[in-house]
Amino acid sequence: MATFRFGQHIIKAAAVFLQTELSFALVNRKPVVPGHVLVCPLRPVERFRDLRPDEVADLFTTTQRVAGVVEQHFDGTSLTIAVQDGPEAGQTVKHVHVHVLPRKAGDFERNDSVYDELQKHDKEDEDVPSKWRTDEEMADEASVLRGLFH
């Protein structure tokens, strides 16, 4: 089975639902909201500034495609699209990635709490296997999403 590098992690192909020439999109093992997915460059690059112009273009074109699909599929009415670039910004995986979160009215009592949840989501002491979704759950969601792109 093919795998993808995501910083210090190896991602099974079953969790990836879209691949372009320079990017890939995967389901999240600990989504903050239903439909919270990630879009990454194929080349493992730690910081946004280190991406080549063609990688930036592909990353954001892919993010735009993915965002439209997950917002509709998960009955969102808005999106939070975020990049945590560097450790002080909350980045824990040393690989550029865009968080795409479909949003709905009332999903957080205070709208900006989504950023608190994203920061908590990535903390190492919070990153324990008991809080992750199973490989099967992730593969099932990726399979459904994959079907929406063809």
Side-chain angles (χ1 to χ4, degrees):
M1 174 186 263
T3 59
F4 294 78
R5 270 289 303 284
F6 178 46
Q8 60 270 41
H9 305 285
I10 300 296
I11 304 298
K12 293 178 181 173
V16 173
F17 61 89
L18 181 65
Q19 181 178 346
T20 66
E21 184 184 344
L22 299 173
S23 303
F24 68 100
L26 67 147
V27 299
N28 202 317
R29 68 182 179 191
K30 283 189 329 181
V32 170
V33 295
H36 174 192
V37 299
L38 306 174
V39 183
C40 315
L42 281 168
R43 186 170 66 97
V45 174
E46 185 172 342
R47 296 292 306 276
F48 185 77
R49 66 178 175 237
D50 297 325
L51 291 170
R52 298 184 315 256
D54 60 337
E55 290 172 317
V56 172
D58 191 81
L59 180 67
F60 278 93
T61 300
T62 304
T63 297
Q64 188 177 49
R65 284 180 66 200
V66 166
V69 168
V70 297
E71 181 179 6
Q72 183 175 8
H73 181 71
F74 289 94
D75 298 320
T77 53
S78 296
L79 293 158
T80 293
I81 297 172
V83 177
Q84 296 165 296
D85 189 35
E88 290 73 30
Q91 181 184 20
T92 56
V93 176
K94 295 180 177 186
H95 189 144
V96 173
H97 56 286
V98 181
H99 292 265
V100 179
L101 297 88
R103 302 291 305 277
K104 298 177 184 178
D107 56 4
F108 288 95
E109 188 175 327
R110 207 179 111 263
N111 185 53
D112 281 354
S113 294
V114 69
Y115 300 109
D116 299 331
E117 288 301 314
L118 273 175
Q119 189 165 352
K120 257 199 291 188
H121 163 274
D122 284 340
K123 278 198 171 33
E124 290 301 323
D125 60 348
E126 292 284 319
D127 199 22
V128 291
S130 64
K131 296 185 179 189
W132 300 347
R133 296 194 295 169
T134 66
D135 287 347
E136 292 77 24
E137 290 170 315
M138 292 172 58
D140 288 348
E141 182 175 279
S143 178
V144 169
L145 291 173
R146 202 174 297 121
L148 300 175
F149 287 92
H150 302 295

